[in-house]
Amino acid sequence: MPTVLVTGSNRGIGLEFCRQYAEAGWKVLACCRRPEQASNLRGLATEWPSVSIHQLEVENFDQIDALAHALASEPIDVLINNAGVYGGSSQNILGTLDYDLWARVLKINTQAPVKMTEAFLPHVLRSQRKLVLAITSLMGSMGDNSSGGAILYRTSKAALNAAMKSIAIDLKPRGIGVLILHPGWVKTDMGGSNAPTSPAESVAGLRRVIEDFKPGDSGRFLDFRGRELPW
Ligand code: NDP
């Protein structure tokens, strides 16, 4: 049974990843900040015994190390760095920037996925598929940026893309693949109700991209339909 670990799995895209991988027969290590409040995820774990819930606040690097230690015996086929924050809309343009908030957004969106990859490298190395995913955003693309704003979020995802591109190159000799994936504009708390794509459609597309992965794809920046995106 292949194993997937998902951060930010209590709602939105992360919850949908857990649902679809559980239905597909995978073992799911579902990480979230507050398991006691994660009623949808707990419902899923009741329905599917292959889903286990693990407390993890990704900005707490000691917690990441402790969880990696606690799960030491688990090979992880696909490590999904999904947890993320937008960082507010009013503190995101010149004149209103909140620099402490910016540092926190960078820690959650950029540093935490790198730290997760570092801490869980032994687990991924011991698996069959050996894949690390960064759920990024097209908003991290400079080539695509025609509307400005969102400085906190854009910089955090652009830096995530740069870090994951390097990690893809660095881990290639060890047989680990890295994909930098944009889920589309998705109807979640972050994406809002006007988003055109449902979490089910986005995650089904992302799972196809993951299934189609070939070693030559490592380090590519793709959307949920498998289309190449501009850096
Ligand atoms: P949501 O806001 O719906 O969910 C965010 C998830 O991240 C929640 O589970 C949240 O947990 C978790 N999270 C936030 N901060 C932390 C933290 N410090 N530690 C642990 N977990 C944390 O967002 P989406 O599902 O829409 O987004 C998922 C990913 O997709 C993000 O990386 C986002 O940037 C990316 N994305 C989303 C798009 C969209 O249109 N929705 C578009 C492009 C990219 P909690 O409930 O505890 O806050």
Side-chain angles (χ1 to χ4, degrees), residues 113-128:
V114 173
K115 173 68 188 175
M116 284 292 296
T117 306
E118 197 172 28
F120 284 92
L121 196 57
H123 311 63
V124 176
L125 272 170
R126 270 193 286 106
S127 74
Q128 292 285 317

Side-chain angles (χ1 to χ4, degrees), residues 35-49:
E36 68 289 353
Q37 291 174 22
S39 49
N40 291 331
L41 182 60
R42 283 196 285 120
L44 194 69
T46 307
E47 194 182 343
W48 299 97

Side-chain angles (χ1 to χ4, degrees), residues 3-229:
T3 300
V4 61
L5 183 149
V6 184
T7 62
S9 66
N10 55 304
R11 59 188 167 104
I13 294 167
L15 178 64
E16 187 61 27
F17 264 123
C18 294
R19 178 175 294 120
Q20 291 195 22
Y21 274 115
E23 285 171 1
W26 286 50
K27 180 169 183 175
V28 178
L29 308 173
C31 303
C32 66
R33 285 199 269 207
R34 295 183 206 90
E36 68 289 353
Q37 291 174 22
S39 49
N40 291 331
L41 182 60
R42 283 196 285 120
L44 194 69
T46 307
E47 194 182 343
W48 299 97
S50 61
V51 177
S52 56
I53 302 177
H54 306 271
Q55 198 271 327
L56 180 64
E57 173 121 25
V58 295
E59 68 204 278
N60 184 333
F61 289 4
D62 290 340
Q63 274 187 18
I64 292 181
D65 283 331
L67 186 63
H69 184 71
L71 295 176
S73 62
E74 301 279 357
I76 294 174
D77 291 274
V78 181
L79 175 68
I80 304 187
N81 290 295
N82 164 77
V85 290
Y86 188 72
S89 33
S90 55
Q91 304 93 333
N92 242 319
I93 50 171
L94 279 189
T96 63
L97 287 174
D98 177 336
Y99 288 89
D100 291 335
L101 179 60
W102 193 354
R104 183 160 176 258
V105 171
L106 287 168
K107 184 155 197 196
I108 294 170
N109 289 0
T110 311
Q111 293 184 338
V114 173
K115 173 68 188 175
M116 284 292 296
T117 306
E118 197 172 28
F120 284 92
L121 196 57
H123 311 63
V124 176
L125 272 170
R126 270 193 286 106
S127 74
Q128 292 285 317
R129 300 194 185 209
K130 300 185 177 52
L131 255 185
V132 174
L133 308 188
I135 303 301
T136 184
S137 171
L138 184 57
M139 289 184 75
S141 164
M142 273 160 276
D144 181 72
N145 186 355
S146 58
S147 56
I151 288 175
L152 279 59
Y153 189 67
R154 286 187 190 281
T155 55
S156 70
K157 293 296 192 181
L160 172 65
N161 294 356
M164 286 296 171
K165 179 76 192 185
S166 269
I167 289 171
I169 294 166
D170 297 346
L171 293 182
K172 199 162 197 166
R174 302 175 77 178
I176 294 187
V178 176
L179 284 173
I180 301 159
L181 297 177
H182 167 60
W185 181 19
V186 188
K187 217 175 270 187
T188 62
D189 293 338
M190 187 187 291
S193 55
N194 290 331
T197 309
S198 68
E201 187 187 353
S202 168
V203 169
L206 292 166
R207 285 182 52 234
R208 264 194 303 278
V209 174
I210 295 164
E211 280 304 308
D212 291 347
F213 174 81
K214 291 170 208 64
D217 294 332
S218 193
R220 291 176 74 193
F221 180 20
L222 305 172
D223 76 0
F224 72 113
R225 295 200 170 96
R227 293 178 301 205
E228 193 100 41
L229 298 174

